[in-house]
Amino acid sequence: MKALGELELFVRAADGGSFSAAARSLELSPAAASAAIKRLEAELQTRLFVRSTRSLRLTPDGERFLAHCRVALQALSEGEQALRGDAQALRGSLQLSLPSDLGRGLVLGWLDEFLLQHPALRLRVQVTDRLADVYRQPVDVALRYGAPADSALVALPLVPQNRRVAVASPGYLAQHGRPAHPQELRDHNCLRFLLSDDVHARWRFHGAAGDTVVAVDGDRTSDDGDAVRRWAIAGRGIAYKSWLDVGGDVAAGRLDVLLPDWRGEAAPLHLVCADRRLLSPAVRALRDLLAARFAALPLPPAQPSVAQSRTARARSP
């Protein structure tokens, strides 16, 4: 158990970037914590941290070891629950990263329900559009749009049919008109999203004749998806958003879906973690609840068939 205590200390120091804070959380003196980490490094025959007077960061070996420590401590926690005859009660902590708009609009409310079902569980939630590094950051699972670029990640599908839609408020459309083709978006004020310092300024659509990509511009850009949605509702321009983010606003009449003959790019939603061994009972229970809640939501508007699109154009004045 002494070795397991050293692993717990290592994980807390890595998460907090501080030996002192980790020591306080475990009711140890800083000197005892430092000595424990040195013992662990000696046992592993490698340095786990790069230390300075102002900072503490993991070495490459420390980053690799951290993922294994999380798995080991999670397995120990589950084993303790089973020995108590309390395996059905979810305990411990679950650390989750959520996109801002989806988190605030839907998931945070569902997490209230989740905790009512599992009162012995504790949640630590990051609400951010910065992609969480599930290998290095203190995150067990994350909700992400699109297929993960890293094939080593475990991605559990939640809403595979989700996609992006172009939306604007009725007030904006009354003043500036409704685009009939994606290329007409170049004549509108488009509200753009910034992800990992890259501006999402090329919007892709699929129609009866194939794909088209339009380079959009506008006077507002944000790295917060919720800010982009709020600008659209306020009539500041056209946004290109996940249906999950704006479906409620469309149903309430705050936003209209544009370009009905064109399908926006796919944006499937996944629950992502670094290793299949991290799929604890708590993660699986959360996944089941989220899948059920998402399944109850309306689907994105269906794209008309090619024949319907041609008929609509033939009837247009």
Side-chain angles (χ1 to χ4, degrees), residues 76-88:
L76 175 64
S77 176
E78 293 171 14
E80 289 176 343
Q81 291 178 31
L83 287 176
R84 294 191 191 106
D86 199 17
Q88 299 303 313

Side-chain angles (χ1 to χ4, degrees), residues 17-28:
S18 167
F19 281 160
S20 298
R24 286 194 299 270
S25 68
L26 295 173
E27 299 182 350
L28 297 173

Side-chain angles (χ1 to χ4, degrees), residues 7 48 70 81 98 142 159 186 212 241 247 254 271:
L7 295 185
L48 299 174
R70 293 194 196 282
Q81 291 178 31
L98 306 175
V159 193
R186 292 181 295 180
T212 186
K241 295 281 294 174
R254 292 185 290 268
L271 187 70

